Amino acid sequence: MSLMPIVLAPDRRLKLTCKPVEKVDDDVRTLMENMLETMYDAPGIGLAAPQVGVLERFFVMDVAGKEAAPEPRVLINPRVTWSSDEMNVHEEGCLSIPGVYEDITRPARVRMQFKDLDGKDHEEEFEDIAATCAQHELDHLNGTLFPDYLSGIKRRMITAKMKKLKKERAREG
Ligand SMILES: [Zn+2]
């Protein structure tokens, strides 16, 4: 396993619609193992393929929390089949937008269909932080980042902050 560099916003790759995974093979499995390792190392609770520069529809997540045993999850070609009318507000962050946290409103519960690492189909309902995380990661596969839910002023402030951060990091090498 190896750590992968995380793509930072603003970056065109984070604004594109990803392609479905045609076949769940060893390449995909290795990539997802590396993504999980990268996510734990960051640390974060979710990481989508475009965040490591792969424009395909899958993401990894683990919302078990620091104190609990790890519960790595892998969702391939996920799609929402149902979402609750009830909404929930969670403070969200993103490994592609380090240091920025904002309250985002999303459906409190969602059901998603997806494939696992063996290519098997699943349907599962997520709630609370898992629902927020799964929707945040699925958004990445459609080129949507959490600041897209905020006002134009806030979005522009975040973009300016990120451009500055990227410049600093580039200078540090
Ligand atoms: Zn994110």
Side-chain angles (χ1 to χ4, degrees):
M1 293 206 282
S2 55
L3 296 178
M4 306 178 80
I6 295 173
V7 175
L8 296 183
D11 189 297
R12 190 172 164 271
R13 288 169 291 176
L14 296 174
K15 301 305 291 175
L16 300 174
T17 301
C18 298
K19 290 195 185 76
V21 175
E22 301 280 343
K23 191 164 153 265
V24 183
D25 56 16
D26 282 346
D27 287 347
V28 172
R29 282 187 277 269
T30 303
L31 197 50
M32 296 190 95
E33 272 175 27
N34 290 338
M35 280 172 61
L36 275 169
E37 198 192 358
T38 303
M39 178 189 82
Y40 286 125
D41 178 74
I45 61 169
L47 187 65
Q51 293 181 277
V52 291
V54 177
L55 298 175
E56 294 189 33
R57 302 189 73 81
F58 58 85
F59 65 79
V60 297
M61 67 178 203
D62 185 342
V63 295
K66 282 185 204 104
E67 309 303 318
E71 285 172 29
R73 303 295 315 267
V74 158
L75 286 83
I76 300 168
N77 295 341
R79 63 183 191 93
V80 174
T81 55
W82 173 83
S83 52
S84 66
D85 292 332
E86 186 199 338
M87 305 296 272
N88 214 344
V89 182
H90 269 290
E91 189 182 65
E92 296 189 23
C94 182
L95 293 178
S96 293
I97 313 170
V100 177
Y101 301 91
E102 294 285 347
D103 282 343
I104 304 292
T105 305
R106 299 182 186 269
R109 286 174 292 139
V110 287
R111 214 171 288 146
M112 282 190 193
Q113 245 173 30
F114 59 93
K115 284 186 189 299
D116 66 16
L117 282 179
D118 297 317
K120 269 195 218 125
D121 290 307
H122 293 268
E123 185 162 18
E124 193 174 324
E125 195 170 313
F126 297 101
E127 57 176 21
D128 199 45
I129 187 72
T132 290
C133 185
Q135 291 176 85
H136 173 121
E137 299 311 328
L138 181 51
D139 271 355
H140 272 297
L141 309 183
N142 297 319
T144 300
L145 302 176
F146 80 83
D148 294 336
Y149 294 100
L150 303 170
S151 69
I153 296 168
K154 264 192 175 163
R155 265 204 322 268
R156 280 193 290 280
M157 280 169 58
I158 292 170
T159 303
K161 190 176 171 182
M162 286 306 304
K163 280 184 177 163
K164 191 164 165 254
L165 179 82
K166 284 181 83 170
K167 238 184 235 166
E168 281 167 10
R169 291 213 179 164
R171 217 176 292 140
E172 284 161 12

